[in-house]
Amino acid sequence: MEVDYIKYFLKVFLPLLDRKKDRAAIRFMYRHTAFLSIRKGKTLFKPNSSAANGSIIIVADGLVNGYLVNEEAEQANIWLGTKGSVYIPNGFKQTDGNFNLFAIKDTIVFLIDQSELEEGCAWYPVLDSLFNTYLLRTAISDVNNRNILFRMQNTENRISLFKRIYPGLFDQIPIDLLLSYLDIDLSLTPKQNLQINNVYSLDVLNNF
């Protein structure tokens, strides 16, 4: 499996770093990257684990749902990670809950310790550029997309935006998870929620 991890690592970072000029920086990144596999239907961390804190999470392949679970065991879905997605779970208070990943498909993720990356940035300035121009920018873009989606009041607009920011995922994720990201309340009638006279189903949602 290590050979596969190396291949995933090179696919992610070689387009961003020069194989010859940045060889030492690439080696540093490889030594300080944890490679983890998540089987479909499984979570990355154990329940109540805070292991994600202080890490940068990169999805090398697959599809995951990122969520928080608070002390009352209430789950809040906050991030869909696809190939190339980056998440930096910083700033969560204890009351917010612990961050975890659920694999919708078999998934490979990289975990990079932020403090170790900061150390590497001091040694290799190219890593500072990598963080600011790729990792941080990608993570911010992912979070902004999610925030815009959650703030939209109109269901039709949320569905349209979801399809645009998550191309191809509309038919791939479980319906209950899809509804949570679309913020559709099943206690309301379809007319109240979708402004259409029909029942909730993927066929209905696909009409938008």
Side-chain angles (χ1 to χ4, degrees):
M1 192 64 182
E2 185 175 356
V3 174
D4 293 329
Y5 287 150
I6 293 173
K7 290 179 179 178
Y8 282 118
F9 178 85
L10 295 177
K11 284 181 180 179
V12 170
F13 290 109
L14 278 190
L16 306 168
L17 298 169
D18 188 284
R19 181 191 294 264
K20 294 182 179 179
K21 186 174 65 175
D22 302 324
R23 185 181 297 272
I26 293 172
R27 288 176 177 171
F28 179 92
M29 285 293 294
Y30 184 78
R31 289 198 306 270
H32 293 85
T33 298
F35 304 91
L36 301 170
S37 298
I38 321 173
R39 301 296 295 176
K40 178 181 178 181
K42 302 296 184 180
T43 58
L44 179 57
F45 305 113
K46 294 180 179 179
N48 303 318
S49 171
S50 59
N53 295 341
S55 296
I56 298 170
I57 300 171
I58 304 172
V59 180
D61 195 32
L63 176 61
V64 292
N65 176 51
Y67 62 93
L68 290 170
V69 177
N70 63 19
E71 295 176 349
E72 286 73 41
E74 297 171 329
Q75 179 173 320
N77 301 311
I78 60 172
W79 179 65
L80 283 174
T82 61
K83 183 177 180 180
S85 295
V86 178
Y87 195 76
I88 305 176
N90 277 350
F92 294 134
K93 301 186 294 294
Q94 188 62 38
T95 53
D96 294 329
N98 293 311
F99 183 79
N100 208 341
L101 295 179
F102 174 84
I104 301 170
K105 296 181 176 180
D106 289 347
T107 300
I108 303 291
V109 296
F110 301 163
L111 262 62
I112 302 172
D113 185 277
Q114 290 189 61
S115 60
E116 292 178 355
L117 179 58
E118 288 175 5
E119 178 186 341
C121 290
W123 284 94
Y124 309 105
V126 68
L127 295 184
D128 187 63
S129 176
L130 173 72
F131 175 77
N132 287 290
T133 62
Y134 174 68
L135 298 176
L136 184 60
R137 183 176 297 179
T138 303
I140 290 174
S141 177
D142 284 353
V143 169
N144 285 343
N145 284 338
R146 179 204 69 202
N147 288 342
I148 293 170
L149 184 69
F150 284 1
R151 285 199 301 267
M152 281 189 166
Q153 298 300 311
N154 181 277
T155 302
E156 182 176 352
N157 289 341
R158 285 200 300 272
I159 293 172
S160 178
L161 179 62
F162 184 94
K163 290 181 175 181
R164 183 162 59 85
I165 64 179
Y166 301 117
L169 294 193
F170 195 83
D171 299 316
Q172 296 184 40
I173 66 175
I175 185 64
D176 58 337
L177 184 58
L178 176 63
L179 292 175
S180 76
Y181 276 97
L182 296 177
D183 196 26
I184 293 176
D185 186 351
L186 292 180
S187 68
L188 301 177
T189 66
K191 186 174 182 179
Q192 287 174 307
N193 216 326
L194 292 179
Q195 295 103 37
I196 54 175
N197 295 308
N198 214 320
V199 295
Y200 287 102
S201 70
L202 276 179
D203 290 336
V204 170
L205 297 176
N206 274 314
N207 287 331
F208 284 94

